Each structure stands twice: as structure tokens, then as C-alpha cells.
Amino acid sequence: MKNSKKISSGFLALVFGIALVFTQSAFKNPTSAKSGKRIPVTVYYHGPDFSQANVTTESNWNTTPNTGGCDSEPEVACAVTIDSDYLSGSTLRTEADLQALESTSSRYYISGSDDPSAVYVNKTF
């Protein structure tokens, strides 16, 4: 009888410990998996045009600055500062899940992504 109480107490402690680990890991801040800190990187749009399909295609975005710069006017896509975990080399991964809104006559600008702390800088066409 004494042995079964010891085993029950040990098992209960083990279950509690596992539950504690799982519940607390859900509240971690988003960080870079490699360093434990967020590493923001700016990527620039290099697509053939400003259609929704091209603006939201992650392979059209990379770390090479584009010509003309960005001016924050939401007319066409220009640059996104996003966590480095969303990059593969110098190009955005599809996990970035870019979203775009139409400004004028089928021209789109970036309005969102899967990274909640991303910053979008668009420009005048």
C-alpha cells in the first residue's frame, strides 16, 4: 500500500511537471529560433508589375534595395521589415503570407503578413 502511494505521488508530480512545461511555452514572445531575439530584416519588392499576384509572391521580395526608394504612400509595394525567420537566404519564404490591398487600377500595396510586428513601407506610383 505504501509503495502504491509513492508511485501515485511520483506519477502525479510527473504529469504536473509536463503540464506546466506545455502551458508556459505557449506564452513565449515571438523570437528568432536561432538567437532567441527578433532580428528584423528589410526586403524590397522586385516584381514585374504591381498586380496582386506578383506583390504577394514572396519570391519577388529580397534584401537587395530597389531603385527610387520608398515614400510611405500606399499606392504600390516597396519594402517590408520582417523577422529574419521569414527569410530563406535573401528571399522571403512563403510562410510570410503577404497580403495586399488595391490602391488604383489593379495596382497593389502590402497591407499585412504573418509576422505581427512587420512594418510595411509602400510608395507612390
Side-chain angles (χ1 to χ4, degrees):
M1 189 79 166
K2 285 184 177 182
N3 285 339
S4 68
K5 284 185 180 181
K6 287 181 182 178
I7 292 172
S8 295
S9 297
F11 181 72
L12 184 61
L14 177 66
V15 170
F16 178 73
I18 291 172
L20 186 62
V21 167
F22 281 111
T23 58
Q24 295 306 307
S25 64
F27 297 103
K28 288 184 179 176
N29 289 331
T31 59
S32 173
K34 295 177 185 170
S35 69
K37 295 182 180 181
R38 292 185 49 79
I39 303 170
V41 176
T42 301
V43 291
Y44 302 88
Y45 180 67
H46 294 282
D49 60 37
F50 296 102
S51 68
Q52 183 176 22
N54 284 319
V55 166
T56 58
T57 298
E58 285 81 2
S59 61
N60 287 333
W61 294 81
N62 63 53
T63 56
T64 304
N66 52 20
T67 58
C70 305
D71 60 20
S72 299
E73 290 297 321
E75 288 187 22
V76 294
C78 189
V80 175
T81 300
I82 195 164
D83 190 88
S84 63
D85 283 347
Y86 290 98
L87 266 67
S88 176
S90 64
T91 305
L92 272 181
R93 296 177 17 202
T94 57
E95 289 81 4
D97 191 29
L98 296 176
Q99 295 101 42
L101 291 175
E102 186 175 22
S103 59
T104 57
S105 59
S106 299
R107 292 187 188 116
Y108 286 78
Y109 63 94
I110 292 298
S111 61
S113 75
D114 201 41
D115 182 356
S117 63
V119 177
Y120 317 104
V121 181
N122 297 289
K123 68 179 180 178
T124 306
F125 184 69

